[in-house]
C-alpha cells in the first residue's frame, strides 16, 4: 500500500496518440508513465519531534519518479489536505508547456477535495531533480520527493553503471510546520533559525541507534543523488572515509573531479559516485550547515553489507569557515565545476548554445536584491519591486492567454537595471517581457549579509561566473565562456554577484525566483513572459483541456487554439 501506482503503457500511449492527431501530440514512441498521488496530512518526526507533515501516498519524502529522457509523465494529484495545493517539477524544463509548471503564476491551485492531472514530457533532459509544493510554504511540511531521469539506452553515460542509485534529499527543518511559519511571514517577521537538518526525513545523531539509510557492498560503486530541498540553509555534504566523484549537476554531466566534501545550496542537486573501498563497517554521511552562527549537523548511517562495527564518532571536519563566514573556499569549489563537453547526453538547448561563448548578448538584466519594510512589515525586492500574487487570484499566464493581462498586472514595471538613487519599493505582480530566442545575460547582485540562490523555471542556463563585490561590464572578461555547467539554480554569496546566460527559446510564462523560501514568499521573485511571435504549436502547446480556471478568467470563453 502507499506505493505510487506506476504503469508503463507504451501500447496504450501509442493508441491514444493515434486519436490525438496534430503536431501538439507528444511523440508516439515516447513511453508514458502514469501515477496517482494522494496528498494528505500525517504525523512525521524528521527531527524526532512528532509534527503534522504533508504526505504523498502516505510517504514522506514522497515517492520517487524514476524515468528516462523523453518519457511522458502523467500524475493525477488528489488534494486531500485543507489548503489549495500545487506541485512544481523543479528543474524540468517543460518545453512549450508552462501550463504544467506548477507555480501560482501559471496555474490555478488544486482546491481541497479535487484533483488535477499533470502531463509533461522530460524532453532532452537527464539527471537529478525533485518536486515540491509551491503554495503556502507547504514545502516546510514535506510534499517533496526525488525525480531522476536516466539516459536512453543508446546514449552512452560517461561512467559505468553504478551498483545502485540512491536519492538523498537533505535540508534545514523547522518543527513549527508550514502554517505557523506562514503566519510568521504574514505578520511581517522572519522565519528565524531552523531547528535542525533532515536527511530523507530523518535526523540521525552520532552514537545514536539509527537504522542505516543506505547499504553498500565492498568493492562496488554507488551513485548518490543529493538535493538541498531546504528553506534557507546552505549545506556541506561528506561521507566519512570516502571521497566523492562528482559526475552530474542539475542535468549536466560534469568533469569528474574528486572531492572530500561538496557545498550544496538551497535548490541545488548533484550526483556523486562513491566506491565502497574502506574497511567493512558503518560510516556516517554528514550534512552540516554552512555560514551559520550556530552550525547544525545531521548524520545518517551507510552500512557495508557483511560489515562489522559501528561508525567512528570522529566526523570529518567541515570546510574552513572563519568567524565571519569565509566564502572563499566555497567560491573556489564553484569554479572547479566544469561541464564535460565530450560526454554525450541529452543537451538542454540542442540548437547551438553549446557554443554559448560565441553568441552575442542581446539583453543584460541586472537584478539587485534588497530587504525593505513596507507598512512596517518585512518585504524583499529586486530592483525596487516586491512580488505579490495578483489581487484577482488569476494566474498571470492565464490572464495573458485570455487576453486580459491589463486587469491583472502591468508588464515591465521592473527595469533591467537597478536605480540606486531610488529606494522606494513597489509591491505588485512583477512580469517582464522576454523576446523569443534572445540570448540574455542575467546578473544577480546580493548586497545583503545572507546567501541567496536563484532559480529559473523553463530553462537551464550557463552559470558563467561568481565573484565578490559589485558587477560591472568589464567583469565579463572573467566569465567562463567555454565549459560552464548548464544548470537551473545558482548561489549568490553575501556581498557578491553571479552571472548566467541563456537563450529564451522556450515560450511560456516562467518564474525567476529566489529559492530562499522566505525571500520568495515576501517578494523576491518575478515572471518572464516569453511569447513566440509565430503563435504556433511549433513553439508552444495549446492550453490543456483539463486546465483549471479561476479568478477573472473562470468564465471567459477560451481563445481559439493554435492549429499549426
Ligand atoms: C529505474 O528504472 C529503470 C528501468 O527503467 C530500472 O532499470 C532501474 O533499476 C530503476 N532504478 C531505480 C533506482 O528505481
Ligand atoms: C480527476 O481524476 C479522475 C480519475 O479519478 C480523472 O478522470 C479526471 O480527469 C481527473 N481530473 C483532472 C482535472 O485531471
Ligand atoms: C567526459 O566524458 C567522456 C565521454 O564519456 C569521458 O571519457 C571522460 O572521461 C570525461 N571526462 C572527464 C574529465 O570527466
Ligand atoms: C556579434 O557582434 C559583433 C560586433 O557587434 C559582430 O561583428 C558579430 O558579427 C556578431 N556575431 C554574431 C554571431 O552575430
Ligand atoms: C510586453 O508584451 C505584451 C504582450 O504581448 C505587450 O502588450 C506589451 O506591449 C509588451 N511590452 C513591452 C514593453 O514590450
Amino acid at each position: 500500500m502507499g506505493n505510487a501506482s506506476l504503469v508503463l503503457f507504451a501500447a496504450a500511449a501509442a493508441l491514444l496518440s493515434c486519436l490525438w492527431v496534430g503536431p501538439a501530440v507528444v511523440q508516439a514512441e515516447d513511453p508514458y508513465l502514469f501515477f496517482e498521488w494522494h496528498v494528505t496530512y500525517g504525523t512525521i518526526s524528521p527531527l524526532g519531534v512528532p509534527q503534522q507533515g504533508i504526505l504523498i501516498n502516505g510517504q514522506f519524502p514522497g515517492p520517487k519518479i524514476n524515468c528516462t529522457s523523453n518519457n511522458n509523465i502523467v500524475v493525477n494529484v488528489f488534494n486531500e489536505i485543507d489548503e489549495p495545493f500545487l506541485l512544481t517539477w523543479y528543474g524540468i524544463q517543460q518545453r512549450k508547456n508552462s501550463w504544467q509548471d506548477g507555480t501560482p503564476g501559471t496555474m490555478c491551485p488544486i482546491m481541497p477535495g479535487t484533483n488535477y492531472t499533470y502531463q509533461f514530457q522530460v524532453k532532452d533532459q537527464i539527471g537529478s531533480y525533485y518536486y515540491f509544493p509551491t503554495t503556502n510554504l507547504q514545502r516546510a511540511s514535506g510534499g517533496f520527493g526525488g525525480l531522476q531521469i536516466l539516459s536512453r539506452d543508446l546514449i552512452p553515460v560517461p561512467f559505468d553503471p553504478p551498483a545502485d542509485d540512491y536519492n538523498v534529499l537533505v535540508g534545514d527543518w523547522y518543527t513549527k510546520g508550514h502554517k505557523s511559519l506562514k503566519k510568521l511571514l504574514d505578520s511581517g517577521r522572519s522565519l528565524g533559525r531552523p531547528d535542525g537538518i533532515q536527511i530523507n526525513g530523518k535526523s540521525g545523531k552520532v552514537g545514536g541507534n539509527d537504522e542505516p539509510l543506505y547499504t553498500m557492498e565492498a568493492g562496488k560503486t554507488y551513485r548518490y543523488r543529493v538535493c538541498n530541498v531546504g528553506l534557507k540553509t546552505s549545506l556541506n555534504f561528506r561521507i566519512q572515509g570516502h571521497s566523492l566523484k562528482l559526475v552530474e549537476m542539475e542535468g549536466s554531466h560534469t568533469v569528474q573531479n574528486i572531492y572530500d566534501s561538496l557545498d550544496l545550496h538551497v535548490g541545488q542537486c548533484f550526483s556523486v559516485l562513491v566506491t565502497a573501498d574502506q574497511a567493512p563497517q558503518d560510516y556516517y554521511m554528514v550534512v552540516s550547515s554552512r555560514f551559520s552562527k550556530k552550525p547544525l549537523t545531521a548524520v545518517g548511517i551507510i552500512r557495508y553489507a557483511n560489515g562489522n562495527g559501528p561508525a567512528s564518532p570522529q566526523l570529518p571536519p567541515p570546510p574552513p569557515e572563519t568567524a565571519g563566514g569565509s566564502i572563499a573556499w566555497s567560491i573556489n569549489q564553484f569554479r572547479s565545476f566544469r561541464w564535460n563537453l565530450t560526454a554525450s547526453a541529452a543537451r538542454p538547448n540542442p540548437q547551438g548554445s553549446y557554443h554559448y561563448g560565441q553568441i552575442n548578448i542581446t539583453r543584460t538584466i541586472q537584478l539587485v536584491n534588497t530587504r525593505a519594510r513596507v507598512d512596517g512589515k518585512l518585504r524583499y525586492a529586486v530592483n525596487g519591486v516586491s512580488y505579490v500574487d495578483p489581487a484577482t487570484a488569476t494566474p498571470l499566464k492565464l490572464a495573458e492567454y485570455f487576453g486580459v493581462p491589463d486587469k491583472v498586472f502591468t508588464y515591465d514595471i521592473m527595469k533591467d537595471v537597478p536605480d540606486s538613487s531610488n529606494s522606494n519599493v513597489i509591491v505588485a505582480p512583477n512580469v517582464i517581457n522576454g523576446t523569443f530566442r534572445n540570448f540574455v545575460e542575467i546578473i544577480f547582485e546580493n548586497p545583503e549579509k545572507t546567501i541567496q540562490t536563484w532559480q529559473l523555471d523553463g530553462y537551464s542556463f550557463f552559470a558563467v561566473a561568481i565573484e565578490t563585490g559589485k558587477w560591472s561590464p568589464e567583469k565579463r572578461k572573467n566569465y567562463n565562456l567555454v565549459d560552464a555547467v548548464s544548470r537551473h539554480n545558482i548561489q549568490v554569496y553575501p556581498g557578491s554577484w553571479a552571472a548566467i546566460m541563456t537563450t529564451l527559446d522556450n515560450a511560456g510564462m516562467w518564474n525567476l525566483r529566489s529559492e530562499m523560501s522566505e525571500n520568495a514568499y515576501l517578494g523576491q521573485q518575478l515572471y518572464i513572459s516569453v511569447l513566440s511571435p509565430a503563435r504556433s504549436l511549433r513553439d508552444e502547446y495549446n492550453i490543456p483541456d483539463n486546465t483549471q480556471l479561476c479568478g477573472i478568467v473562470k468564465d471567459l470563453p477560451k481563445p481559439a487554439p493554435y492549429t499549426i
Side-chain angles (χ1 to χ4, degrees), residues 387-435:
Y387 176 92
V388 280
D389 286 327
T392 59
T394 311
L396 307 160
K397 173 68 181 170
L398 298 182
E400 183 179 74
Y401 177 74
F402 280 87
V404 290
D406 303 352
K407 297 206 170 102
V408 175
F409 65 91
T410 306
Y411 288 98
D412 294 325
I413 53 173
M414 189 196 74
K415 302 298 165 228
D416 283 3
V417 181
D419 178 357
S420 53
S421 68
N422 183 351
S423 61
N424 285 349
V425 167
I426 302 170
V427 179
N430 186 356
V431 181
I432 62 171
N433 282 0
T435 305

Short mmCIF file of all heavy atoms in Angstrom, two decimals, residues 387-435:
data_model
loop_
_atom_site.label_atom_id
_atom_site.label_comp_id
_atom_site.label_asym_id
_atom_site.label_seq_id
_atom_site.Cartn_x
_atom_site.Cartn_y
_atom_site.Cartn_z
N TYR A 387 7.38 41.24 -5.24
CA TYR A 387 6.29 40.49 -5.92
C TYR A 387 5.17 40.10 -4.95
O TYR A 387 5.43 39.63 -3.84
CB TYR A 387 6.87 39.22 -6.56
CG TYR A 387 5.81 38.36 -7.20
CD1 TYR A 387 5.49 38.52 -8.53
CD2 TYR A 387 5.12 37.40 -6.47
CE1 TYR A 387 4.50 37.76 -9.12
CE2 TYR A 387 4.12 36.63 -7.04
CZ TYR A 387 3.82 36.82 -8.37
OH TYR A 387 2.83 36.07 -8.96
N VAL A 388 3.94 40.27 -5.40
CA VAL A 388 2.80 39.60 -4.75
C VAL A 388 1.96 38.95 -5.85
O VAL A 388 1.93 39.44 -6.98
CB VAL A 388 1.85 40.53 -3.97
CG1 VAL A 388 2.40 40.88 -2.61
CG2 VAL A 388 1.47 41.76 -4.77
N ASP A 389 1.27 37.86 -5.51
CA ASP A 389 0.33 37.28 -6.47
C ASP A 389 -0.78 38.30 -6.71
O ASP A 389 -1.09 39.11 -5.84
CB ASP A 389 -0.26 35.98 -5.90
CG ASP A 389 0.73 34.82 -5.93
OD1 ASP A 389 1.56 34.78 -6.87
OD2 ASP A 389 0.70 33.98 -5.01
N PRO A 390 -1.39 38.28 -7.90
CA PRO A 390 -2.41 39.29 -8.23
C PRO A 390 -3.60 39.26 -7.28
O PRO A 390 -4.01 38.19 -6.81
CB PRO A 390 -2.86 38.89 -9.64
CG PRO A 390 -1.83 37.96 -10.15
CD PRO A 390 -1.14 37.35 -8.99
N ALA A 391 -4.15 40.44 -7.01
CA ALA A 391 -5.30 40.55 -6.11
C ALA A 391 -6.52 39.80 -6.66
O ALA A 391 -7.37 39.35 -5.90
CB ALA A 391 -5.66 42.02 -5.92
N THR A 392 -6.56 39.60 -7.98
CA THR A 392 -7.70 38.92 -8.58
C THR A 392 -7.61 37.40 -8.46
O THR A 392 -8.47 36.70 -8.97
CB THR A 392 -7.78 39.23 -10.08
OG1 THR A 392 -6.54 38.80 -10.67
CG2 THR A 392 -7.96 40.70 -10.35
N ALA A 393 -6.52 36.88 -7.85
CA ALA A 393 -6.30 35.43 -7.77
C ALA A 393 -6.37 34.78 -9.15
O ALA A 393 -6.92 33.70 -9.32
CB ALA A 393 -7.28 34.77 -6.81
N THR A 394 -5.82 35.48 -10.14
CA THR A 394 -5.78 34.95 -11.50
C THR A 394 -4.33 34.70 -11.88
O THR A 394 -3.52 35.63 -11.85
CB THR A 394 -6.37 35.98 -12.49
OG1 THR A 394 -7.61 36.45 -11.98
CG2 THR A 394 -6.55 35.39 -13.87
N PRO A 395 -3.97 33.46 -12.25
CA PRO A 395 -2.58 33.23 -12.66
C PRO A 395 -2.21 34.14 -13.84
O PRO A 395 -3.00 34.36 -14.75
CB PRO A 395 -2.57 31.75 -13.04
CG PRO A 395 -3.68 31.15 -12.24
CD PRO A 395 -4.74 32.22 -12.20
N LEU A 396 -1.00 34.66 -13.80
CA LEU A 396 -0.54 35.63 -14.80
C LEU A 396 -0.61 35.05 -16.21
O LEU A 396 -1.04 35.71 -17.15
CB LEU A 396 0.91 36.02 -14.46
CG LEU A 396 1.09 36.50 -13.01
CD1 LEU A 396 2.55 36.41 -12.59
CD2 LEU A 396 0.56 37.92 -12.87
N LYS A 397 -0.18 33.81 -16.33
CA LYS A 397 -0.18 33.17 -17.65
C LYS A 397 -1.59 33.09 -18.23
O LYS A 397 -1.81 33.30 -19.42
CB LYS A 397 0.44 31.77 -17.54
CG LYS A 397 0.37 30.92 -18.79
CD LYS A 397 1.25 31.47 -19.90
CE LYS A 397 1.16 30.61 -21.16
NZ LYS A 397 1.82 31.28 -22.31
N LEU A 398 -2.55 32.78 -17.36
CA LEU A 398 -3.93 32.64 -17.84
C LEU A 398 -4.51 34.00 -18.19
O LEU A 398 -5.23 34.15 -19.18
CB LEU A 398 -4.79 31.91 -16.80
CG LEU A 398 -4.33 30.47 -16.49
CD1 LEU A 398 -5.27 29.81 -15.49
CD2 LEU A 398 -4.23 29.63 -17.76
N ALA A 399 -4.18 35.03 -17.41
CA ALA A 399 -4.65 36.39 -17.73
C ALA A 399 -4.11 36.79 -19.11
O ALA A 399 -4.84 37.36 -19.93
CB ALA A 399 -4.18 37.37 -16.68
N GLU A 400 -2.86 36.48 -19.37
CA GLU A 400 -2.25 36.82 -20.65
C GLU A 400 -2.92 36.03 -21.78
O GLU A 400 -3.30 36.58 -22.82
CB GLU A 400 -0.76 36.50 -20.59
CG GLU A 400 0.03 36.87 -21.83
CD GLU A 400 1.51 36.53 -21.64
OE1 GLU A 400 1.87 35.33 -21.69
OE2 GLU A 400 2.32 37.46 -21.45
N TYR A 401 -3.12 34.74 -21.54
CA TYR A 401 -3.67 33.87 -22.58
C TYR A 401 -5.11 34.27 -22.93
O TYR A 401 -5.50 34.26 -24.10
CB TYR A 401 -3.62 32.42 -22.10
CG TYR A 401 -4.24 31.44 -23.07
CD1 TYR A 401 -3.58 31.10 -24.24
CD2 TYR A 401 -5.49 30.88 -22.81
CE1 TYR A 401 -4.15 30.22 -25.15
CE2 TYR A 401 -6.07 30.00 -23.71
CZ TYR A 401 -5.39 29.67 -24.88
OH TYR A 401 -5.95 28.80 -25.77
N PHE A 402 -5.88 34.63 -21.91
CA PHE A 402 -7.28 35.01 -22.15
C PHE A 402 -7.43 36.47 -22.60
O PHE A 402 -8.53 36.98 -22.74
CB PHE A 402 -8.14 34.74 -20.91
CG PHE A 402 -8.53 33.30 -20.76
CD1 PHE A 402 -7.70 32.40 -20.11
CD2 PHE A 402 -9.72 32.82 -21.29
CE1 PHE A 402 -8.05 31.05 -19.98
CE2 PHE A 402 -10.08 31.48 -21.16
CZ PHE A 402 -9.24 30.59 -20.52
N GLY A 403 -6.30 37.14 -22.78
CA GLY A 403 -6.33 38.49 -23.33
C GLY A 403 -6.74 39.57 -22.34
O GLY A 403 -7.18 40.64 -22.75
N VAL A 404 -6.60 39.28 -21.03
CA VAL A 404 -6.97 40.28 -20.04
C VAL A 404 -5.82 40.61 -19.07
O VAL A 404 -6.06 40.82 -17.88
CB VAL A 404 -8.23 39.85 -19.23
CG1 VAL A 404 -9.46 39.88 -20.12
CG2 VAL A 404 -8.05 38.44 -18.63
N PRO A 405 -4.59 40.68 -19.60
CA PRO A 405 -3.49 40.96 -18.65
C PRO A 405 -3.68 42.29 -17.93
O PRO A 405 -3.36 42.40 -16.74
CB PRO A 405 -2.24 40.97 -19.54
CG PRO A 405 -2.73 41.24 -20.92
CD PRO A 405 -4.09 40.60 -20.98
N ASP A 406 -4.24 43.29 -18.65
CA ASP A 406 -4.37 44.63 -18.05
C ASP A 406 -5.21 44.62 -16.78
O ASP A 406 -5.07 45.50 -15.93
CB ASP A 406 -5.05 45.60 -19.04
CG ASP A 406 -4.27 45.68 -20.33
OD1 ASP A 406 -3.15 45.11 -20.37
OD2 ASP A 406 -4.79 46.28 -21.29
N LYS A 407 -6.09 43.65 -16.65
CA LYS A 407 -6.94 43.60 -15.45
C LYS A 407 -6.21 42.94 -14.28
O LYS A 407 -6.74 42.87 -13.17
CB LYS A 407 -8.22 42.80 -15.76
CG LYS A 407 -9.08 43.45 -16.85
CD LYS A 407 -10.54 43.03 -16.68
CE LYS A 407 -11.45 43.84 -17.58
NZ LYS A 407 -11.87 43.10 -18.77
N VAL A 408 -5.03 42.39 -14.55
CA VAL A 408 -4.36 41.58 -13.54
C VAL A 408 -2.97 42.10 -13.18
O VAL A 408 -2.57 42.08 -12.02
CB VAL A 408 -4.29 40.11 -14.02
CG1 VAL A 408 -3.50 39.25 -13.05
CG2 VAL A 408 -5.71 39.55 -14.20
N PHE A 409 -2.22 42.57 -14.19
CA PHE A 409 -0.86 43.05 -13.90
C PHE A 409 -0.43 44.01 -15.01
O PHE A 409 -1.09 44.14 -16.04
CB PHE A 409 0.13 41.88 -13.82
CG PHE A 409 0.32 41.12 -15.11
CD1 PHE A 409 1.31 41.47 -16.02
CD2 PHE A 409 -0.51 40.04 -15.43
CE1 PHE A 409 1.48 40.77 -17.21
CE2 PHE A 409 -0.35 39.33 -16.62
CZ PHE A 409 0.66 39.71 -17.51
N THR A 410 0.69 44.68 -14.77
CA THR A 410 1.28 45.58 -15.75
C THR A 410 2.65 45.02 -16.14
O THR A 410 3.43 44.66 -15.25
CB THR A 410 1.47 46.99 -15.13
OG1 THR A 410 0.20 47.40 -14.61
CG2 THR A 410 1.95 47.99 -16.16
N TYR A 411 2.91 44.90 -17.43
CA TYR A 411 4.22 44.40 -17.87
C TYR A 411 5.31 45.41 -17.53
O TYR A 411 5.11 46.63 -17.60
CB TYR A 411 4.24 44.22 -19.40
CG TYR A 411 3.44 43.05 -19.91
CD1 TYR A 411 2.15 43.24 -20.41
CD2 TYR A 411 3.98 41.77 -19.93
CE1 TYR A 411 1.42 42.17 -20.92
CE2 TYR A 411 3.24 40.70 -20.43
CZ TYR A 411 1.97 40.90 -20.92
OH TYR A 411 1.25 39.85 -21.41
N ASP A 412 6.49 44.90 -17.23
CA ASP A 412 7.72 45.70 -17.19
C ASP A 412 7.69 46.86 -16.20
O ASP A 412 8.25 47.91 -16.48
CB ASP A 412 8.04 46.24 -18.60
CG ASP A 412 8.38 45.11 -19.57
OD1 ASP A 412 9.00 44.12 -19.14
OD2 ASP A 412 8.02 45.23 -20.75
N ILE A 413 7.08 46.66 -15.03
CA ILE A 413 7.22 47.72 -14.02
C ILE A 413 8.63 47.69 -13.44
O ILE A 413 9.10 48.68 -12.92
CB ILE A 413 6.18 47.63 -12.88
CG1 ILE A 413 6.17 46.25 -12.24
CG2 ILE A 413 4.78 48.02 -13.37
CD1 ILE A 413 5.29 46.19 -11.01
N MET A 414 9.30 46.53 -13.55
CA MET A 414 10.68 46.46 -13.08
C MET A 414 11.63 46.71 -14.25
O MET A 414 11.40 46.21 -15.34
CB MET A 414 10.95 45.07 -12.49
CG MET A 414 12.28 44.97 -11.78
SD MET A 414 12.78 43.25 -11.52
CE MET A 414 13.27 42.77 -13.18
N LYS A 415 12.66 47.51 -14.01
CA LYS A 415 13.63 47.82 -15.06
C LYS A 415 14.79 46.82 -15.05
O LYS A 415 15.05 46.17 -14.04
CB LYS A 415 14.17 49.24 -14.87
CG LYS A 415 13.08 50.31 -14.87
CD LYS A 415 12.32 50.36 -16.21
CE LYS A 415 11.02 51.16 -16.09
NZ LYS A 415 9.86 50.45 -16.67
N ASP A 416 15.48 46.73 -16.18
CA ASP A 416 16.60 45.79 -16.31
C ASP A 416 17.82 46.19 -15.48
O ASP A 416 18.73 45.38 -15.27
CB ASP A 416 17.06 45.70 -17.78
CG ASP A 416 16.13 44.84 -18.61
OD1 ASP A 416 15.11 44.35 -18.06
OD2 ASP A 416 16.42 44.64 -19.81
N VAL A 417 17.85 47.46 -15.07
CA VAL A 417 18.99 47.97 -14.31
C VAL A 417 18.45 48.58 -13.02
O VAL A 417 17.43 49.26 -13.06
CB VAL A 417 19.74 49.05 -15.14
CG1 VAL A 417 20.95 49.57 -14.38
CG2 VAL A 417 20.15 48.49 -16.49
N PRO A 418 19.09 48.32 -11.88
CA PRO A 418 18.58 48.90 -10.64
C PRO A 418 18.78 50.42 -10.62
O PRO A 418 19.70 50.92 -11.25
CB PRO A 418 19.44 48.23 -9.57
CG PRO A 418 20.70 47.83 -10.26
CD PRO A 418 20.32 47.53 -11.67
N ASP A 419 17.90 51.11 -9.92
CA ASP A 419 18.03 52.55 -9.77
C ASP A 419 18.48 52.83 -8.34
O ASP A 419 17.68 52.83 -7.42
CB ASP A 419 16.65 53.19 -10.05
CG ASP A 419 16.69 54.70 -9.88
OD1 ASP A 419 17.76 55.24 -9.50
OD2 ASP A 419 15.64 55.34 -10.11
N SER A 420 19.78 53.05 -8.19
CA SER A 420 20.32 53.15 -6.83
C SER A 420 19.92 54.47 -6.15
O SER A 420 20.06 54.62 -4.95
CB SER A 420 21.84 52.98 -6.85
OG SER A 420 22.39 53.90 -7.76
N SER A 421 19.40 55.41 -6.94
CA SER A 421 19.02 56.69 -6.34
C SER A 421 17.60 56.62 -5.76
O SER A 421 17.13 57.57 -5.15
CB SER A 421 19.07 57.79 -7.41
OG SER A 421 18.04 57.57 -8.36
N ASN A 422 16.92 55.50 -5.98
CA ASN A 422 15.53 55.40 -5.55
C ASN A 422 15.36 54.16 -4.68
O ASN A 422 15.49 53.03 -5.17
CB ASN A 422 14.64 55.31 -6.80
CG ASN A 422 13.17 55.27 -6.45
OD1 ASN A 422 12.80 55.14 -5.29
ND2 ASN A 422 12.33 55.37 -7.47
N SER A 423 15.07 54.36 -3.40
CA SER A 423 14.96 53.19 -2.53
C SER A 423 13.50 52.79 -2.30
O SER A 423 13.20 51.95 -1.46
CB SER A 423 15.65 53.47 -1.19
OG SER A 423 15.01 54.56 -0.58
N ASN A 424 12.58 53.40 -3.06
CA ASN A 424 11.17 53.02 -2.93
C ASN A 424 10.95 51.58 -3.36
O ASN A 424 11.59 51.11 -4.29
CB ASN A 424 10.28 53.90 -3.81
CG ASN A 424 10.12 55.28 -3.22
OD1 ASN A 424 10.48 55.50 -2.06
ND2 ASN A 424 9.59 56.20 -4.01
N VAL A 425 10.01 50.92 -2.70
CA VAL A 425 9.68 49.56 -3.08
C VAL A 425 8.20 49.52 -3.50
O VAL A 425 7.33 49.98 -2.77
CB VAL A 425 9.95 48.58 -1.91
CG1 VAL A 425 9.32 47.23 -2.17
CG2 VAL A 425 11.44 48.44 -1.69
N ILE A 426 7.97 49.00 -4.70
CA ILE A 426 6.60 48.81 -5.19
C ILE A 426 6.22 47.37 -4.90
O ILE A 426 7.00 46.45 -5.21
CB ILE A 426 6.54 49.04 -6.72
CG1 ILE A 426 7.04 50.43 -7.10
CG2 ILE A 426 5.13 48.78 -7.26
CD1 ILE A 426 7.23 50.59 -8.60
N VAL A 427 5.04 47.15 -4.32
CA VAL A 427 4.56 45.78 -4.08
C VAL A 427 3.52 45.49 -5.15
O VAL A 427 2.45 46.11 -5.18
CB VAL A 427 3.97 45.64 -2.66
CG1 VAL A 427 3.46 44.23 -2.43
CG2 VAL A 427 5.03 46.01 -1.62
N ALA A 428 3.82 44.57 -6.06
CA ALA A 428 2.93 44.31 -7.20
C ALA A 428 3.33 43.01 -7.89
O ALA A 428 4.46 42.55 -7.72
CB ALA A 428 3.04 45.46 -8.21
N PRO A 429 2.44 42.43 -8.71
CA PRO A 429 2.88 41.31 -9.54
C PRO A 429 3.98 41.83 -10.48
O PRO A 429 3.88 42.95 -10.98
CB PRO A 429 1.62 40.94 -10.35
CG PRO A 429 0.48 41.52 -9.59
CD PRO A 429 1.02 42.76 -8.92
N ASN A 430 5.01 41.03 -10.67
CA ASN A 430 6.20 41.50 -11.41
C ASN A 430 6.40 40.61 -12.63
O ASN A 430 6.79 39.45 -12.49
CB ASN A 430 7.40 41.45 -10.45
CG ASN A 430 8.66 42.06 -11.03
OD1 ASN A 430 8.68 42.47 -12.20
ND2 ASN A 430 9.71 42.10 -10.23
N VAL A 431 6.07 41.13 -13.80
CA VAL A 431 6.19 40.36 -15.04
C VAL A 431 7.01 41.17 -16.03
O VAL A 431 6.67 42.32 -16.30
CB VAL A 431 4.80 40.07 -15.67
CG1 VAL A 431 4.95 39.24 -16.94
CG2 VAL A 431 3.88 39.37 -14.68
N ILE A 432 8.07 40.59 -16.56
CA ILE A 432 8.82 41.28 -17.60
C ILE A 432 8.67 40.52 -18.92
O ILE A 432 8.46 39.31 -18.93
CB ILE A 432 10.32 41.47 -17.25
CG1 ILE A 432 11.04 40.13 -17.07
CG2 ILE A 432 10.47 42.33 -16.00
CD1 ILE A 432 12.56 40.27 -16.94
N ASN A 433 8.75 41.24 -20.01
CA ASN A 433 8.69 40.62 -21.33
C ASN A 433 10.07 40.08 -21.69
O ASN A 433 11.06 40.77 -21.52
CB ASN A 433 8.35 41.66 -22.40
CG ASN A 433 6.88 42.00 -22.41
OD1 ASN A 433 6.10 41.46 -21.62
ND2 ASN A 433 6.50 42.87 -23.32
N GLY A 434 10.08 38.90 -22.22
CA GLY A 434 11.31 38.39 -22.81
C GLY A 434 11.07 38.24 -24.29
O GLY A 434 9.96 37.90 -24.70
N THR A 435 12.07 38.54 -25.09
CA THR A 435 11.89 38.40 -26.54
C THR A 435 12.31 37.00 -26.94
O THR A 435 13.41 36.55 -26.60
CB THR A 435 12.71 39.46 -27.29
OG1 THR A 435 12.33 40.75 -26.78
CG2 THR A 435 12.49 39.40 -28.78
#
